[in-house]
Amino acid sequence: MDISQVLFYALSAMALGSAIMVVISRNPVHSVLWLIITFFAISGHYILMNAQFLGIVNLIVYAGAIMVLFLFVIMLMNLNAETEPQKNKWLKLAGVVAGGCLLLVLVAALKQAEVKGKVAMLETGDIGLIRNLGKALFTDFVVPFEISSILFLSAMVGAVVIGKK
Amino acid sequence: MLSDFFILMKQELVIMVIIFVLLLLKIGADMSNEKMMNLANGLLLLNLAAGFTGNQPGVLFNEMYVTNPLIVLEKNILNLGTLIISLQSFSWLKKHDHVPEFYVLLLCTLLGMFFMISSGNLILFYIGLELSSIPLATMANFDLAAKRSSEAAMKFIMSSAFASGLLLFGISLLYGATGTLTFSEMTALITGSPLHIFAFVLLLAGFAFKISVVPFHLWTADVYEGAPVAVTSWLSVVSKGSVLFVFVSVLYTVFKPIAGNWYNMLFLLSVVTILIGNLFAIRQNNIKRFLAFSSIAQIGFILVGITGSSQVSSASVVYFVLIYVFSNLAAFGVVALVSAVTGREQVSDYKGFYKTNPVLSWVLTIALFSLAGVPPTAGFFGKFFLLMAGAGKGNYIPITIAALNMILSFYYYLRIVKAVFMDANEQPIERLTIPAYSKLAMFICVAGILITGLAGFVYDYIYALSFGF
């Protein structure tokens, strides 16, 4: 087991563990803090796959900006364990059964998965450098990239309309 | 190369130009609402006319963007629906403060649909889908003072975010399993292994949310009820139509290797959708909720047609969507006018409607007859072709259930017709003056309902462009 494999398993355990804590914590503020740890672990995964730029952007945008916003909103709304609505027993049971079925199907599907496509090059690859990412964005994916600007424009127009009343 | 780009992407480019013209006019010029709407309707008419000429089939940007005569036809159908909705919303929108913004958002969603239909790559498909659903949430909130309008927008954005999540999960599994995002390369790599089928199920769930197939329909009635009527009709006709077009082409090309699997899924979903849609439509008292459940039932019939997977089925789906544009928009046109002037939306409000508004009553009745599928109207031919396409596979049980459900649907469609013509009412809706734009829209719709079914060349033309296997 070389170092990248050890790192992979450690990061995966961290991501999964903190993701479970996000769901089961009673206090919403704790959930958000656990979510930040999940994002850190996922950024670690990006860096392991040589996607340095994505890793950093994920840290800055998600773990930094968006989660701080989340935290503010939750603190302003004054949510805590008492105000959280409690679901009844049968609903919980139904949730467990449905989630368990999904897990079973997912495990069964992934067990015999054969990955035929390209494999990310671990030590030699430089796919994650900003130069290569920019090249891909402005050649292969130029249409979706340009259209997303219209998506932002429409989101901005929409926000202004709703905000102005 | 550059001229290719302008010719092949013409329809999208025209819409982009209109978006920016309206946006700049909003910023720079101080126009009255009526002037602005005249201009917008004129531009939409130009857009519709421009869609019919100078189209060429082709591929752009490494198969990112695909266009062919069928795709052009589908875009023209959506353009027509947009124009009709814009004409109908005149009496509601003229009192509103944000007319240009409404058109900007409307055209942004239309642009998203166009890219979604033309996509040859999952990334472009996903961006198109998002572009066609995020601005819609704002549009659902366009009755800015009404609380239930914001509630509708909130429910819509939540459920569409959830659907997008499922869809993205499916896309990422598919990318992991095949290593490509291009549709044409993916077909050869899909073998029907459990992972491929699981990814397909997630994609199917995402699609089913957008066209409100039954286990995923829970947002439909609330959003339809809360949103302004123009947005409701946009959601139920144009938005659903565009997703249906993509759904058929993705199923028939990318997922062709696992046709045996999705046939069973769709067959089950279609039966459940028709049954639940019909049973809940019977109980509704609000006319917009009623039309929501009726549209769910209609989607069930379309799914029956899709299971046929022959050239006839894809032709009959496009044909049915064209008819559905006319018949549903005729019904929504009347509802929009009544709602904009009087604010009444209950089925019981329509009692005695014929005494005061005979013309509107006839338009509503013809639309409902077409939705139910009564023979001289186009709706009958649409449903007939869908069921025949489904029967092509020789599976007669779902066809029988669907046919029996058509009889069930007569009950609730005719309940409205009875209220309009026969029931007495002490306070009927007063006599409404129909604005010229609404008159034009209703004329187009009624003419479409009466002509499309009987003029055989419409179906022949669509059939010649369609594909199947």
Side-chain angles (χ1 to χ4, degrees):
Chain A
M1 211 151 49
D2 59 355
I3 183 78
S4 61
Q5 259 177 331
V6 173
L7 274 175
F8 171 80
Y9 284 114
L11 285 171
S12 302
M14 198 166 119
L16 285 176
S18 49
I20 289 171
M21 287 307 291
V22 174
V23 182
I24 63 174
S25 329
R26 277 285 161 99
N27 191 331
V29 176
H30 291 176
S31 289
V32 173
L33 294 176
W34 282 113
L35 196 55
I36 294 179
I37 298 181
T38 315
F39 283 135
F40 267 93
I42 290 171
S43 290
H45 275 300
Y46 279 132
I47 292 169
L48 265 189
M49 290 194 293
N50 267 327
Q52 302 92 336
F53 180 70
L54 269 186
I56 295 301
V57 164
N58 189 47
L59 266 191
I60 296 172
V61 175
Y62 280 87
I66 292 182
M67 286 338 281
V68 171
L69 218 66
F70 246 71
L71 211 56
F72 269 127
V73 171
I74 286 173
M75 283 174 168
L76 283 177
M77 281 165 74
N78 197 17
L79 292 173
N80 48 40
E82 285 81 53
T83 52
E84 196 185 340
Q86 297 299 317
K87 300 276 182 330
N88 76 38
K89 199 167 61 186
W90 293 106
L91 215 55
K92 278 183 187 164
L93 187 71
V96 169
V97 171
C101 288
L102 181 66
L103 180 72
L104 202 67
V105 172
L106 195 56
V107 169
L110 288 174
K111 204 180 64 159
Q112 19 179 307
E114 33 183 318
V115 179
K116 273 188 194 160
K118 302 156 196 160
V119 178
M121 286 169 285
L122 273 182
E123 271 137 28
T124 54
D126 51 358
I127 42 165
L129 296 179
I130 304 178
R131 175 208 289 264
N132 299 326
L133 200 68
K135 257 188 193 156
L137 269 186
F138 281 97
T139 53
D140 295 345
F141 297 100
V142 65
V143 187
F145 182 71
E146 294 295 339
I147 297 163
S148 53
S149 65
I150 301 220
L151 179 60
F152 289 132
L153 174 79
S154 69
M156 211 155 63
V157 171
V160 170
V161 169
I162 293 180
K164 242 171 110 183
K165 291 270 158 172
Chain B
M1 178 63 209
L2 196 65
S3 63
D4 265 10
F5 167 73
F6 282 112
I7 292 170
L8 296 182
M9 255 197 193
K10 187 191 66 189
Q11 285 172 301
E12 283 82 4
L13 292 173
V14 170
I15 290 187
M16 270 187 229
V17 169
I18 299 178
I19 289 175
F20 283 101
V21 165
L22 290 175
L23 200 65
L24 293 177
L25 278 179
K26 164 73 188 177
I27 298 169
D30 196 20
M31 289 169 85
S32 72
N33 271 358
E34 307 222 344
K35 245 181 169 177
M36 182 63 88
M37 289 166 72
N38 290 336
L39 176 73
N41 284 329
L43 287 174
L44 286 176
L45 187 64
L46 272 181
N47 174 35
L48 178 65
F52 285 103
T53 52
N55 297 303
Q56 283 178 14
V59 175
L60 279 179
F61 302 107
N62 255 337
E63 293 196 33
M64 184 71 84
Y65 178 93
V66 183
T67 180
N68 61 38
L70 181 67
I71 288 176
V72 170
L73 176 75
E74 290 169 348
K75 287 177 184 170
N76 283 335
I77 293 175
L78 299 183
N79 272 337
L80 178 70
T82 314
L83 178 67
I84 296 175
I85 289 173
S86 158
L87 293 174
Q88 281 172 350
S89 53
F90 184 79
S91 47
W92 166 69
L93 209 54
K94 73 179 177 199
K95 293 176 274 180
H96 206 285
D97 292 338
H98 301 291
V99 176
E101 286 94 328
F102 181 79
Y103 279 104
V104 167
L105 293 170
L106 191 80
L107 290 170
C108 280
T109 54
L110 187 66
L111 186 70
M113 289 163 196
F114 279 14
F115 277 114
M116 184 167 77
I117 293 173
S118 278
S119 60
N121 185 302
L122 276 172
I123 296 271
L124 186 60
F125 162 73
Y126 177 71
I127 296 268
L129 192 78
E130 284 298 293
L131 185 54
S132 70
S133 64
I134 289 178
L136 258 176
T138 328
M139 284 163 64
N141 197 3
F142 239 73
D143 266 346
L144 291 168
K147 213 172 173 185
R148 54 181 198 151
S149 183
S150 332
E151 185 191 327
M154 203 62 207
K155 280 179 176 159
F156 182 75
I157 194 94
M158 286 294 179
S159 53
S160 77
F162 188 61
S164 301
L166 289 178
L167 199 77
L168 264 186
F169 192 25
I171 289 176
S172 60
L173 284 181
L174 214 53
Y175 181 52
T178 59
T180 175
L181 285 167
T182 312
F183 286 159
S184 54
E185 290 171 15
M186 203 176 274
T187 312
L189 294 169
I190 288 179
T191 52
S193 76
L195 185 61
H196 294 156
I197 292 173
F198 186 67
F200 171 73
V201 169
L202 290 171
L203 278 173
L204 179 70
F207 275 117
F209 255 107
K210 301 288 174 192
I211 54 176
S212 53
V213 171
V214 149
F216 312 100
H217 70 293
L218 294 163
W219 59 276
T220 317
D222 289 345
V223 173
Y224 279 27
E225 190 188 1
V229 184
V231 182
T232 307
S233 47
W234 175 265
L235 269 170
S236 81
V237 177
V238 181
S239 172
K240 272 187 188 172
S242 67
V243 179
L244 275 170
F245 293 147
V246 190
F247 189 43
V248 172
S249 69
V250 168
L251 277 182
Y252 285 10
T253 56
V254 183
F255 293 108
K256 195 171 154 187
I258 52 169
N261 294 306
W262 58 251
Y263 170 73
N264 289 327
M265 296 178 203
L266 286 190
F267 147 60
L268 195 70
L269 285 179
S270 69
V271 171
V272 178
T273 307
I274 299 177
L275 265 177
I276 303 273
N278 272 341
L279 291 178
F280 278 84
I282 292 176
R283 303 180 49 216
Q284 301 307 319
N285 290 320
N286 180 300
I287 195 141
K288 276 152 82 183
R289 286 184 85 87
F290 161 77
L291 284 170
F293 281 104
S294 115
S295 81
I296 293 175
Q298 308 276 353
I299 291 291
F301 286 103
I302 295 178
L303 288 186
V304 171
I306 293 178
T307 55
S309 69
S310 57
Q311 193 178 357
V312 181
S313 1
S314 75
S316 56
V317 170
V318 178
Y319 182 62
F320 188 81
V321 172
L322 176 65
I323 292 165
Y324 187 62
V325 166
F326 290 131
S327 26
N328 221 18
L329 286 185
F332 270 116
V334 177
V335 175
L337 192 63
V338 172
S339 159
V341 178
T342 65
R344 293 162 78 171
E345 289 176 356
Q346 299 296 314
V347 172
S348 53
D349 291 335
Y350 282 81
K351 284 180 181 169
F353 192 52
Y354 179 65
K355 291 230 167 60
T356 49
N357 295 290
V359 178
L360 289 179
S361 305
W362 276 110
V363 173
L364 186 61
T365 308
I366 291 172
L368 290 175
F369 275 168
S370 178
L371 285 172
V374 178
T377 56
F380 167 74
F381 298 99
K383 277 194 182 162
F384 180 68
F385 286 143
L386 281 176
L387 293 187
M388 287 303 286
K393 280 266 175 173
N395 200 335
Y396 296 111
I397 300 164
I399 310 298
T400 317
I401 298 175
L404 288 176
N405 268 284
M406 270 181 81
I407 301 170
L408 190 63
S409 71
F410 279 142
Y411 167 74
Y412 58 80
Y413 286 120
L414 294 183
R415 194 170 63 115
I416 312 260
V417 176
K418 171 175 165 285
V420 168
F421 280 90
M422 296 175 185
D423 289 354
N425 191 352
E426 277 150 29
Q427 295 169 308
I429 293 163
E430 69 263 33
R431 191 173 178 76
L432 305 171
T433 47
I434 314 172
Y437 278 139
S438 297
K439 250 182 211 160
L440 179 62
M442 280 171 198
F443 177 75
I444 297 172
C445 289
V446 172
I449 292 172
L450 297 177
I451 292 168
T452 326
L454 297 177
F457 66 88
V458 181
Y459 181 77
D460 288 339
Y461 178 65
I462 296 174
Y463 182 78
L465 301 180
S466 303
F467 58 95
F469 58 91

